[in-house]
Amino acid sequence: MQHLVPAHVRSRPGPRPPVPPARPAVDAEALSVLHRAARALIAGLPELSERLVDLLVAREPAYRAAMETDAESVRDEVRRSLRLNVGSLIQPGELREAAHRCSWAIGRARAERGLPLDALLRAFRLGGGMIWQELVDETTRRHPSDARLLVHVAANVWNFVDDHCAVVTDAYRQTERELMWRRENRLRLMTAALLDGTARITDLPATAAALGLPEQGRYAVVLVRLPAGRAFTDVRGQVGLSGLRILWYRDRDRDAEGTYGIVPLGDRPHDEGRPGRGHDESLLDAGPGPASAPGAGTSPDGTDGADRADGRGGERPGTHGPDLDAGEIARRLTAPPPARVGVSPVVEGLAAIGDARRLADTALRACPRSGGTIVLEEHLPAALVVSAPVLGAALSERVLGPLLRLDLSDRDIMLDTLTVWLDCDGSAQRAAGRLYCHRNTVLNRLRRCEQLTGRSLTRPADVVELTLALAAHSLLDP
């Protein structure tokens, strides 16, 4: 089959044929018809506003509910919007910006009142459809021959409606983000006040309701420090607490690398019939503002704007028995090996969470550098040492000074032997098994420790001093 245009044919140089001029988007005659009809609508605006309100109530359940609670506000919005939007069809230069501001204000107000965005956009499109129908009806009734000219402005009218829908959407979503950030920030401030111990007694009922925690419940606080470089959000992904809920919070000012977790253990025994609501797991970061708030990209919430759990916290606060203690929390808690975790004792009521936080701080300081989970109640001697670091360092130097000044390898052997022997409850045989040496070797090393330190391992007071000094050396020395 031959080509209709051979490949070797070239266009001849010369003037191109004239292109007919494009028809104006809206000619003057059509605009004149539009303006005339719009003026007639302005004259009958009160009746048109009531008709649009009735249409919204009939078509939109959300507006039906809004009319029941705040009818005058809805009517005022409809009147202002129609007046400015119809007026801007006549005087776009003078009134278009005012119409945009009105639509923006309506978007913000309806977002603050919780009206769904879909309902709001349908309301604007219903209003646009009513305005267009009234323009057509007015022109057909009074000047039938001019009705055909409205076809030339139809696209402009509907583009105008779409433009205002975009303004309303932007205002609504921005307000929604701001409201979500405010709510999340309020939750952060409440949680921070609980952990700081600065929450006022009169504010506790509101705090309990906002955080979904029983005011008179039983609580513990855990403090988790992941290896350097791990992000705050890694806590939820790497630290689990089987069967228990936890509300995570990081205070950058207090502990740049640590994250606190409030663990609800249930109501007091006599309140167990009234379980409170609770977060599955949430992340509350004491961040700077709306741009980084959960509402800007996630939803506690969201939720609630805080990020919700992935289902590990299945039980409700109040369903846990009154005997659940800090040791059980430690047994249920899972964390990567390098992590260090401090667990406070169980306290009663939201007002005592500040005390629990301070005890969790102490428990973490008593945690070895190699990692692990420390329940404060099970390591009170070490907690005493780290609570007074200056005295602990002085005790370490006074008791272990001669050992610490040995050659590095010799010093480590002596300290390890003494530590393992104490861990084995004074059994040289068991210590030898853990140290992979003979029992007599252990005894010889212990006698040398006694000679260097001037302490006797058969004297209880000296054993206490050695135990505390070893804890101070392990936990406080750089």
Side-chain angles (χ1 to χ4, degrees):
M1 181 177 178
Q2 293 182 344
H3 294 288
L4 295 178
V5 181
H8 64 275
V9 175
R10 298 180 180 178
S11 60
R12 295 181 179 180
R16 295 180 178 275
V19 178
R23 178 186 177 89
V26 180
D27 56 34
E29 189 176 3
L31 279 176
S32 176
V33 172
L34 175 66
H35 292 169
R36 183 178 61 203
R39 290 189 192 96
L41 263 63
I42 290 290
L45 204 58
E47 180 187 353
L48 186 62
S49 300
E50 286 303 315
R51 286 171 53 201
L52 180 53
V53 169
D54 292 341
L55 182 63
L56 292 177
V57 170
R59 297 275 188 91
E60 285 296 331
Y63 268 92
R64 194 177 310 135
M67 284 292 292
E68 292 175 357
T69 58
D70 196 10
E72 191 52 41
S73 173
V74 174
R75 287 193 170 91
D76 182 60
E77 286 179 359
V78 170
R79 285 193 293 265
R80 284 188 293 115
S81 181
L82 286 179
R83 184 177 69 252
L84 288 170
N85 287 324
V86 175
S88 63
L89 294 177
I90 304 169
Q91 299 174 292
E94 294 85 348
L95 296 178
R96 182 158 301 215
E97 284 303 315
H100 277 177
R101 288 195 296 271
C102 176
S103 296
W104 183 275
I106 291 173
R108 286 191 66 89
R110 288 300 141 196
E112 289 171 350
R113 289 172 173 80
L115 187 85
L117 177 58
D118 288 347
L120 183 58
L121 293 177
R122 283 194 294 269
F124 265 76
R125 292 193 175 100
L126 281 173
M130 176 176 281
I131 290 172
W132 174 248
Q133 189 61 50
E134 288 294 320
L135 292 170
V136 173
D137 290 348
E138 172 66 23
T139 303
T140 302
R141 184 169 55 253
R142 297 183 182 275
H143 306 279
S145 61
D146 292 341
R148 58 184 176 78
L149 294 173
L150 289 178
V151 173
H152 300 300
V153 296
N156 297 73
V157 172
W158 285 106
N159 287 340
F160 178 85
V161 173
D162 288 342
D163 180 40
H164 280 265
C165 285
V167 170
V168 166
T169 300
D170 289 345
Y172 190 100
R173 288 177 176 162
Q174 177 178 313
T175 304
E176 197 173 41
R177 287 192 295 269
E178 291 174 1
L179 291 173
M180 192 169 292
W181 179 82
R182 288 175 197 165
R183 183 173 185 276
E184 288 304 310
N185 192 51
R186 179 170 173 259
L187 296 180
R188 283 191 289 269
L189 292 174
M190 287 179 168
T191 307
L194 289 177
L195 290 168
D196 287 339
T198 57
R200 295 181 298 184
I201 297 298
T202 54
D203 292 337
L204 290 180
T207 299
L211 294 175
L213 300 172
E215 184 180 353
Q216 299 302 327
R218 302 169 61 251
Y219 295 95
V221 173
V222 299
L223 175 55
V224 179
R225 183 173 293 170
L226 294 176
R230 300 287 178 87
F232 166 54
T233 51
D234 285 348
V235 171
R236 189 180 63 174
Q238 297 191 46
V239 179
L241 195 53
S242 175
L244 294 173
R245 296 170 184 269
I246 188 163
L247 177 64
W248 291 112
Y249 177 86
R250 182 178 67 170
D251 187 341
R252 293 173 177 172
D253 294 332
R254 179 182 291 116
D255 192 325
E257 300 174 2
T259 303
Y260 292 94
I262 298 175
V263 183
L265 299 174
D267 299 341
R268 295 178 190 269
H270 60 273
D271 287 336
E272 286 186 18
R274 294 189 300 105
R277 293 186 304 106
H279 296 282
D280 289 342
E281 283 189 4
S282 299
L283 291 173
L284 296 175
D285 188 4
S292 65
T298 61
S299 136
D301 62 20
T303 167
D304 173 352
D307 282 336
R308 288 307 186 181
D310 51 10
R312 283 196 300 266
E315 301 177 44
R316 290 279 180 189
T319 62
H320 308 296
D323 295 332
L324 197 63
D325 58 10
E328 180 62 22
I329 292 174
R331 285 187 287 275
R332 296 189 185 195
L333 191 142
T334 57
R340 300 170 61 219
V341 183
V343 182
S344 78
V346 174
V347 296
E348 298 283 348
L350 288 178
I353 285 180
D355 296 331
R357 188 272 303 167
R358 287 185 284 273
L359 295 173
D361 288 343
T362 303
L364 186 71
R365 290 197 296 270
C367 186
R369 297 185 187 90
S370 58
T373 299
I374 293 296
V375 177
L376 184 68
E377 294 170 318
E378 299 173 2
H379 296 81
L380 291 177
L384 287 173
V385 169
V386 297
S387 295
V390 174
L391 294 178
L395 177 65
S396 174
E397 172 59 29
R398 177 180 176 82
V399 176
L400 301 178
L403 294 179
L404 299 178
R405 285 185 281 275
L406 295 173
D407 292 339
L408 186 60
S409 59
D410 201 13
R411 180 197 69 182
D412 290 344
I413 289 174
M414 293 294 105
L415 293 176
D416 288 346
T417 300
L418 188 55
T419 301
V420 171
W421 181 79
L422 289 169
D423 289 343
C424 292
D425 299 324
S427 169
Q429 188 66 43
R430 287 165 53 198
R434 289 178 54 179
L435 293 169
Y436 302 102
C437 63
H438 194 275
R439 174 179 178 275
N440 290 338
T441 303
V442 172
L443 293 174
N444 289 335
R445 293 173 183 173
L446 293 176
R447 278 193 291 270
R448 188 178 176 204
C449 286
E450 288 180 316
Q451 292 168 357
L452 290 171
T453 61
R455 267 73 179 176
S456 170
L457 295 178
T458 60
R459 188 181 301 122
D462 289 354
V463 173
V464 170
E465 274 196 337
L466 286 165
T467 302
L468 293 177
L470 284 169
H473 173 71
S474 170
L475 297 171
L476 299 176
D477 284 358

